[in-house]
């Protein structure tokens, strides 16, 4: 098992907290505003159910995407996915720091699918029951998001579909602190996470992850070529 990949995915989710608040802020508000502020346990139950649904969607998407990429049965497809993951992480960091917002174009592509899925969430509002929150989380997990796409590309480089699911699950766990804190302490946490120094620090760390992923993909590619050349050398002899 690649524990470094799990930790990296968790860190990506954790560092992307500012983006998570921006993307999920509306639905979190719908969850919390539907229940009286004094009913903390009920609010927590709805928020937990929502996040179980959201995390489940991420894992399902990762499994589907991994199987699609793996069906190509080419090492080079995995190398390409590692490179794409690295590029997307760098783009995500630039996006968070507000230095370059090119990732919005990728999110616009995902919005075509979202047009069909978003209407499914309307009958669930206002959310007053845990099953509504769960279904809302499952639907909201498909929301077009550059951070999710980065983690998705990263999970597709796993050695097995099981590890791909675990990598995406690790990423989802990393997003939980921001989403949960944003739910329970929305105003205070939003002010904290939007501070320029906090946002830029997180952005730079994600960019470093992206560069590391790119360098690692090139290193693996070089090793594969070297191994192939050695094999051909032995055959000739």
């Amino acid at each position: 098992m690649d524990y470094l990949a799990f930790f990296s995915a968790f860190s990506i989710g954790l560092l992307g907290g500012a983006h998570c608040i921006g993307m999920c802020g509306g639905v979190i508000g719908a969850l919390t505003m539907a229940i009286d502020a004094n009913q903390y346990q009920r609010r927590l139950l709805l928020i937990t159910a929502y996040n179980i649904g959201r995390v489940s969607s991420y894992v399902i998407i990762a499994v589907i995407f991994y199987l699609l990429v793996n069906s190509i049965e080419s090492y080079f497809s995995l190398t390409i996915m590692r490179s794409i993951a690295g590029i997307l992480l760098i783009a995500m960091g630039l996006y968070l720091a507000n230095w370059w917002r090119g990732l919005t174009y990728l999110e616009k592509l995902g919005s075509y699918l979202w047009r069909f899925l978003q209407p499914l969430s309307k009958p669930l509002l206002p959310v007053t029951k845990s099953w509504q929150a769960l279904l809302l989380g499952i639907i909201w997990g498909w929301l077009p998001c550059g951070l999710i796409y980065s983690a998705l590309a990263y999970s597709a480089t796993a050695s097995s579909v099981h590890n791909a699911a675990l990598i995406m699950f690790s990423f989802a766990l990393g997003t939980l602190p921001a989403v949960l804190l944003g739910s329970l302490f929305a105003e205070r946490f939003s002010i904290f996470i939007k501070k320029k120094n906090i946002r830029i620090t997180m952005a730079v760390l994600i960019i470093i992850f992206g560069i590391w992923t790119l360098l690692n993909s090139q290193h693996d590619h070089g090793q594969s070529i070297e191994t192939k050349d050695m094999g051909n050398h032995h055959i000739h002899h």
Side-chain angles (χ1 to χ4, degrees):
M1 296 179 72
D2 192 350
Y3 293 103
L4 179 59
F6 302 151
F7 175 74
S8 298
F10 176 83
S11 301
I12 292 167
L14 187 66
L15 295 172
H19 189 63
C20 291
I21 292 299
M23 298 298 286
C24 292
V27 70
I28 290 299
L31 286 172
T32 54
M33 295 301 291
I35 304 299
D36 189 90
N38 295 323
Q39 299 181 23
Y40 294 112
Q41 289 186 340
R42 196 175 173 194
R43 274 193 174 187
L44 186 59
L45 179 63
L46 293 184
I47 292 165
T48 301
Y50 165 78
N51 280 290
I52 289 173
R54 183 176 64 88
V55 170
S56 299
S57 271
Y58 291 170
V59 173
I60 291 168
I61 295 168
V63 168
I64 294 170
F65 190 65
Y66 177 86
L67 292 174
L68 287 173
V69 172
N70 194 55
S71 66
I72 300 172
E73 295 184 351
S74 168
Y75 170 82
F76 293 101
S77 68
L78 294 181
T79 303
I80 290 168
M81 289 312 302
R82 288 191 185 99
S83 299
I84 291 173
I87 292 168
L88 287 177
L89 286 173
I90 293 170
M92 189 72 240
L94 295 173
Y95 181 96
L96 286 177
N98 206 24
W99 293 333
W100 182 67
R101 302 184 70 82
L103 205 58
T104 55
Y105 294 107
L106 181 60
E107 291 178 345
K108 284 180 181 178
L109 289 176
S111 66
Y112 291 108
L113 175 62
W114 184 239
R115 288 176 187 174
F116 296 99
L117 295 175
Q118 187 180 22
L120 298 176
S121 65
K122 291 181 180 178
L124 301 173
L125 300 173
V127 179
T128 56
K129 300 182 184 300
S130 56
W131 67 267
Q132 291 175 302
L134 178 68
L135 290 178
L136 189 65
I138 290 172
I139 295 169
W140 219 256
W142 294 82
L143 179 74
C145 172
L147 189 66
I148 295 172
Y149 298 155
S150 303
L152 195 59
Y154 191 65
S155 70
T157 67
S159 57
S160 68
V161 67
H162 178 256
N163 279 352
L166 285 177
I167 286 173
M168 204 63 181
F169 181 70
S170 300
F171 162 77
L173 289 181
T175 67
L176 283 179
V179 176
L180 290 175
L181 288 171
S183 305
L184 300 174
F185 310 100
E187 188 175 347
R188 293 179 185 177
F189 187 71
S190 181
I191 292 171
F192 170 76
I193 205 75
K194 288 179 181 178
K195 286 184 178 179
K196 187 176 181 181
N197 290 340
I198 299 294
R199 193 178 70 250
I200 289 179
T201 299
M202 291 178 170
V204 169
L205 288 173
I206 286 179
I207 290 171
I208 291 171
F209 266 117
I211 294 171
W212 174 81
T213 303
L214 272 177
L215 293 175
N216 191 48
S217 71
Q218 294 303 314
H219 174 70
D220 290 345
H221 179 60
Q223 279 189 330
S224 175
I225 292 174
E226 185 179 339
T227 303
K228 185 177 179 181
D229 289 342
M230 288 179 64
N232 291 334
H233 179 73
H234 285 302
I235 291 170
H236 288 308
H237 279 279

